[in-house]
């Protein structure tokens, strides 16, 4: 599974404001939210919510509206893929 783009590593203080408000991935792009430390809440526009950790990745499908909220101290980054990644 190879990503075509990976963000910088963000922590709870450097996480961009755009990630904290509703946004969506572009058409044809899957995002994997990878926690390096701590926890992060992934909230979807349809009301679903996931608590991410280093052991639990977050998957955002193409054009899926979502936002994130840090849960205390954390470090994370996002990988972008042009096809659905296998998270197993």
């Amino acid at each position: 599974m190879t990503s075509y783009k990976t963000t910088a590593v963000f922590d709870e203080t450097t996480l961009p404001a755009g990630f904290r408000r509703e946004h969506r991935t572009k058409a044809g792009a899957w995002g994997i939210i990878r926690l390096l430390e701590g926890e992060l809440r992934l909230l979807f526009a349809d009301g679903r919510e996931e608590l991410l950790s280093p052991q639990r990745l977050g998957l955002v499908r193409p054009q899926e509206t979502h936002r994130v909220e840090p849960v205390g101290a954390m470090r994370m980054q996002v990988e972008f893929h042009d096809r659905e990644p296998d998270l197993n």
Side-chain angles (χ1 to χ4, degrees):
M1 171 174 57
T2 303
S3 62
Y4 67 82
K5 180 179 175 183
T6 303
T7 67
V9 174
F10 301 112
D11 65 23
E12 70 280 2
T13 61
T14 61
L15 184 68
F19 284 27
R20 296 174 189 258
R21 64 178 172 261
E22 285 195 343
H23 63 284
R24 63 173 63 188
T25 51
K26 67 181 184 178
W30 280 260
I32 296 177
I33 302 172
R34 188 176 299 274
L35 268 285
L36 306 172
E37 294 176 10
E39 294 180 326
L40 182 77
R41 192 170 287 115
L42 172 59
L43 304 138
F44 294 95
D46 65 6
R48 289 178 296 131
E49 181 178 319
E50 296 178 18
L51 185 61
L52 307 182
S53 69
Q55 297 76 33
R56 182 178 170 110
L57 302 175
L59 178 65
V60 180
R61 290 167 178 79
Q63 297 184 303
E64 191 168 45
T65 303
H66 65 285
R67 65 185 176 90
V68 297
E69 294 177 354
V71 179
M74 64 92 200
R75 291 177 57 241
M76 59 83 70
Q77 67 184 151
V78 183
E79 299 171 3
F80 294 97
H81 297 262
D82 60 4
R83 64 182 64 102
E84 186 169 6
D86 179 8
L87 298 183
N88 297 318

